[in-house]
Each structure stands twice: as C-alpha cells, then as structure tokens.
Amino acid sequence: MGFLDNLSKTISQGVDRAKFEAEKFQKTTRLQGEANELRRQIDARLAELGQKAYELYRAGQISSATVGELATAIDQLRSALVVKEEELKQAQAEVFVEPTPTPPPSPSQQVPISYEAPAQPQAAATKQCGVCGFTMPTTAMFCPNCGTRVA
Ligand SMILES: [Zn+2]
C-alpha cells in the first residue's frame, strides 16, 4: 500500500468517524430528550396523584399517616409561600430614596433670639480743656469754662 493510499484511507476514516460522531450525538440527544419528556410526564402524573391524595386525605377518604405527614408539610410550605410572596411584593414595591441633605431650618422653626443690649457701664465720655482743665463732654467744641476751642 502506497503513501497516497494510506493518506486517502486515513482521510476517509476521519470522515467516517466525524460522520459517526455526529450521528451518535444526534441520536443520543434525541433519546435524551425523549427520556426527559417521559420523566417530565411521570413527574406530572405523580404531582397529579399527590394532589388527588392530598384532596382525598383532607376529605377524610384516605387514612394514612404518611399521606397525613405529607399533607401537613404541604400546608406549612403553602403558609411559608404566602408569607414569602408578601415579602417579595413589598421588596418589589421598594423605591430608591435619594439621600436628601438636611434642609435649612425654615423661619418658623428658628428659635427666636431675644436681643438684649449689652449692659455696658455708661462710661462718661468726657475730655478736659487743655487750658483751664475743665471737664466737659467729648462732644463739646468749645470749653464751657474758658471758651477755648477744644474740638
Ligand atoms: Zn477751658
């Protein structure tokens, strides 16, 4: 067998293998899907059966401790679900609140500050005449005593 024959055979085998793998993948995927569908139908029937058993138990037509336990567990889960759904509704209703800066106090909120004049001692604002030494208010422009201009 020559080199080309080998090469050709290798390529041919590669194609066959790829084709085989593709068909295998297709087949297994299909079968997997069909098996899943059957499982889904079984689960659905089981759920239906459970629903019926639950109803019959509640109607007093089934007397079974196991079914009773399951029915009680279902009731507890339903109660929890009601609470959870309410919680969810509240969480969905929450809105983002922008953090607001502290507003400046409105005039009505301002504490009125009573103004009191500082109790300063009435220091006698006086000056003395440079000529006769007479004491007079600083506002005087002439000495009342000697008439000298003091402003
Ligand atoms: Zn004077």
Side-chain angles (χ1 to χ4, degrees):
M1 206 179 267
F3 168 74
L4 285 176
D5 287 339
N6 280 334
L7 183 65
S8 150
K9 194 181 178 189
T10 304
I11 291 170
S12 168
Q13 279 177 340
V15 170
D16 287 346
R17 187 193 174 103
K19 193 183 170 196
F20 170 82
E21 293 293 351
E23 283 175 352
K24 181 185 169 185
F25 178 77
Q26 212 173 10
K27 188 178 174 185
T28 53
T29 302
R30 177 176 56 79
L31 290 171
Q32 190 71 63
E34 287 170 1
N36 285 343
E37 175 59 20
L38 288 171
R39 282 197 196 94
R40 197 192 61 75
Q41 287 185 23
I42 290 167
D43 285 348
R45 293 295 178 274
L46 278 172
E48 243 177 89
L49 175 66
Q51 182 68 37
K52 284 278 170 256
Y54 177 86
E55 286 166 10
L56 289 171
Y57 178 83
R58 284 288 172 236
Q61 295 178 26
I62 289 181
S63 172
S64 160
T66 308
V67 174
E69 278 171 29
L70 287 170
T72 301
I74 288 168
D75 287 345
Q76 285 171 352
L77 287 168
R78 280 181 176 158
S79 295
L81 179 61
V82 168
V83 172
K84 195 60 68 182
E85 279 176 339
E86 186 58 36
E87 213 175 305
L88 173 65
K89 216 184 333 178
Q90 283 177 11
Q92 283 170 333
E94 282 175 10
V95 290
F96 181 74
V97 179
E98 292 278 351
T100 49
T102 309
S106 61
S108 63
Q109 287 174 322
Q110 276 175 336
V111 177
I113 298 165
S114 58
Y115 179 79
E116 283 178 34
Q120 280 181 353
Q122 291 293 324
T126 56
K127 60 183 177 184
Q128 287 181 320
C129 174
V131 175
C132 69
F134 186 81
T135 300
M136 68 197 102
T138 52
T139 50
M141 296 187 73
F142 296 93
C143 175
N145 188 47
C146 68
T148 305
R149 183 180 175 90
V150 291

